[in-house]
Amino acid sequence: MSKPWEKYLVGDEPCTYLRIEQSLSKSTSVSLLWQKLPDVARTLEFSGSGMIVTKVMLNIQSHSGHLQEILTNWRSKKPTQATLGNLINVLRNHQLNECAEVLIKEFGT
């Protein structure tokens, strides 16, 4: 049985891009998330996934900025599939279980 928060659309209240980013930044696995961000981006069909590491290294864009861009792009491409539940599944598929748990704790209460 699905929980109401699993159906929250990414970008809408209460599941705003900023709140997702802030929640993930509290995760003890946030550095692993940043390492795997290009892979997560590819899963969410983000066309600029190959440039993420380069832009971060050149201080063109932060990891947080990329995360918001990735989520915004996902929502525009898949407006009904861009749910918190699907994002949590993507994180788990990339062995980012602790990040997924942080989102569950943040939005599941």
Side-chain angles (χ1 to χ4, degrees):
M1 177 172 231
S2 73
K3 298 174 177 47
W5 54 265
E6 291 177 313
K7 301 289 184 201
Y8 290 166
L9 287 174
V10 170
D12 287 355
E13 285 289 340
C15 191
T16 63
Y17 303 117
L18 180 60
R19 189 168 170 202
I20 290 170
E21 189 275 323
Q22 289 173 338
S23 298
L24 290 172
S25 69
K26 297 174 193 172
S27 167
T28 58
S29 299
V30 73
S31 61
L32 184 58
L33 170 62
W34 297 148
Q35 287 175 347
K36 292 186 175 194
L37 195 58
D39 297 328
V40 171
R42 274 189 286 284
T43 300
L44 297 178
E45 300 178 21
F46 181 68
S47 61
S49 61
M51 293 298 297
I52 291 173
V53 174
T54 302
K55 286 182 177 181
V56 170
M57 288 175 59
L58 296 174
N59 289 323
I60 295 171
Q61 192 169 14
S62 68
H63 287 109
S64 297
H66 278 297
L67 179 62
Q68 181 159 339
E69 186 178 4
I70 292 162
L71 294 176
T72 302
N73 180 74
W74 181 44
R75 173 70 189 269
S76 70
K77 284 185 173 180
K78 308 274 186 170
T80 60
Q81 294 176 12
T83 64
L84 184 61
N86 287 337
L87 178 59
I88 287 168
N89 288 335
V90 166
L91 293 172
R92 286 181 174 153
N93 289 341
H94 288 283
Q95 286 75 51
L96 294 164
N97 296 323
E98 204 275 328
C99 291
E101 291 303 314
V102 164
L103 292 178
I104 291 169
K105 287 177 188 170
E106 177 72 21
F107 294 97
T109 56

